Amino acid sequence: MSTTLVTGCAGFIGMHCAQALLAQGEQVVGIDNLNAYYDVALKEARLARLAAQPGFAFERMDVADRAAMAALFARVRPARVLHLAAQAGVRYSIDAPDEYTDANLLGFANVLQGCRAAQVAHLVFASSSSVYGGNTRVPFSERDAVDHPISYYAATKKAGEVMAHSYAHLYRIPTTGLRFFTVYGPWGRPDMALFKFTRAMLAGEPIDVYGEGRLVRDFTYIDDIVAGVLRVLAKPATPDAGYDAAAPAPGTSSAPYRLFNIGGGAPTLLRDYIAALESALGIEAVKRLLPIQPGDMHTTAADTTALAAWVGFTPATPVREGVARFVRWYREFYPS
């Protein structure tokens, strides 16, 4: 049976995707460096869920380790690669840019070289809605230029898209990039707003509401993300027969390369997101209204028509339901 390599398998999206692949009876090799950017115990708990399923093998490894990655690809020779390992977080990239250079640039270069050596059938990699940066026209479309990132994190994600295209063009590696829009849900990241708000509200502490609650995000529930990722993984990118080199569209290519937005399709005010959390917890938040932070985007909204046409992606989870599911998980995982 062929093997899928999942990088960042101890991460939020990585665990859920690896779990879904295993549920389909596939063989999964997962790698993660278990860094301390956030609670390692949470990452280990995610790994424990994967280890309980047949067909899963884990190797602790840093994608920035060139020799280790080359040896891994030579040994495993995966048929497909789902590359989710990255240094996440817009705000942290302001303080620790070297972490992003190592993980998101050097690490991705090592993944690309491994895919070339193993001649993988399909590489799917995580990009981000943050690449749209200073764009103000919404919803964001893959047809739009993304040349004005407003954080170093976004710049590394844009660079990854360009690096991946070069490998797809030179070595004909079928490659698909997915621009994720604010993913949330059970087992989520502690540095994300929903997790931080929930923890603070249950402790009776105020919450910091940046942009005074007027920021807009295209929140995307994890189950919808997983369904979309698995459909994309099963459909290798192909050259676009209608690609026009005189008027190039960033989302397609004459190479076997595609880029897609993957978002919830219902942009939501941050204050309405908080209201959904207040309803799920039965607690009214004490809010500290603060200005928008450096590197943050005011609005994100995904045009997902291209992904819907490609694999039939249709997000199905309303924000209020997704938030309620997160709260149920949080109370079970962190009993008071």
Side-chain angles (χ1 to χ4, degrees), residues 235-246:
K235 185 175 182 179
T238 56
D240 180 4
Y243 179 77
D244 182 1

Side-chain angles (χ1 to χ4, degrees), residues 31-288:
I31 66 170
D32 204 292
N33 67 355
L34 298 176
N35 70 21
Y37 172 63
Y38 62 79
D39 184 15
V40 174
L42 176 58
K43 298 179 182 182
E44 290 174 337
R46 295 182 186 136
L47 275 179
R49 288 173 64 86
L50 297 176
Q53 299 184 62
F56 179 71
F58 173 69
E59 298 198 31
R60 185 165 183 169
M61 185 177 300
D62 192 324
V63 291
D65 186 334
R66 180 176 297 156
M69 289 295 290
L72 174 76
F73 272 93
R75 183 172 67 255
V76 174
R77 298 204 66 83
R80 304 182 301 179
V81 174
L82 177 56
H83 177 52
L84 301 171
Q87 178 55 59
V90 167
R91 295 163 191 165
Y92 186 55
S93 71
I94 296 172
D95 300 321
D98 289 348
E99 301 290 330
Y100 294 77
T101 299
D102 292 345
N104 300 1
L105 299 180
L106 176 57
F108 193 25
N110 292 336
V111 169
L112 290 169
Q113 189 64 7
C115 289
R116 175 193 177 191
Q119 297 182 310
V120 301
H122 194 194
L123 164 64
V124 175
F125 70 93
S127 186
S128 168
S129 61
S130 67
V131 300
Y132 289 103
N135 292 15
T136 57
R137 182 173 62 183
V138 292
F140 297 145
S141 168
E142 302 92 341
R143 296 182 297 275
D144 298 336
V146 288
D147 297 323
H148 299 90
I150 59 174
S151 70
Y152 186 59
Y153 168 72
T156 64
K157 286 298 186 178
K158 164 64 186 290
E161 293 179 354
V162 177
M163 291 160 62
H165 182 270
S166 71
Y167 268 71
H169 171 75
L170 291 169
Y171 309 115
R172 313 313 289 181
I173 301 169
T175 302
T176 304
L178 294 173
R179 291 172 174 169
F180 293 111
F181 280 69
T182 316
V183 187
Y184 74 101
W187 297 93
R189 283 178 17 217
D191 63 319
M192 298 293 284
L194 183 59
F195 206 113
K196 292 194 292 188
F197 290 165
T198 300
R199 183 167 48 201
M201 290 166 65
L202 287 172
E205 300 170 354
I207 63 173
D208 292 337
V209 182
Y210 293 100
E212 300 178 334
R214 292 193 291 268
L215 303 183
V216 176
R217 293 291 179 267
D218 200 337
F219 296 104
T220 316
Y221 188 65
I222 185 61
D223 288 2
D224 296 327
I225 287 288
V226 171
V229 169
L230 263 62
R231 289 187 182 192
V232 167
L233 193 60
K235 185 175 182 179
T238 56
D240 180 4
Y243 179 77
D244 182 1
T252 67
S253 176
S254 58
Y257 177 85
R258 302 279 172 146
L259 272 177
F260 296 108
N261 292 332
I262 182 165
T268 302
L269 277 166
L270 180 57
R271 62 171 174 250
D272 293 338
Y273 192 58
I274 295 169
L277 179 58
E278 290 174 323
S279 176
L281 287 171
I283 300 171
E284 184 175 351
V286 177
K287 307 173 187 71
R288 272 198 298 248

Side-chain angles (χ1 to χ4, degrees), residues 8-20 45-47 49-50 187:
C9 67
F12 172 36
I13 300 174
M15 182 209 74
H16 281 282
C17 288
Q19 193 168 255
R46 295 182 186 136
L47 275 179
R49 288 173 64 86
L50 297 176
W187 297 93

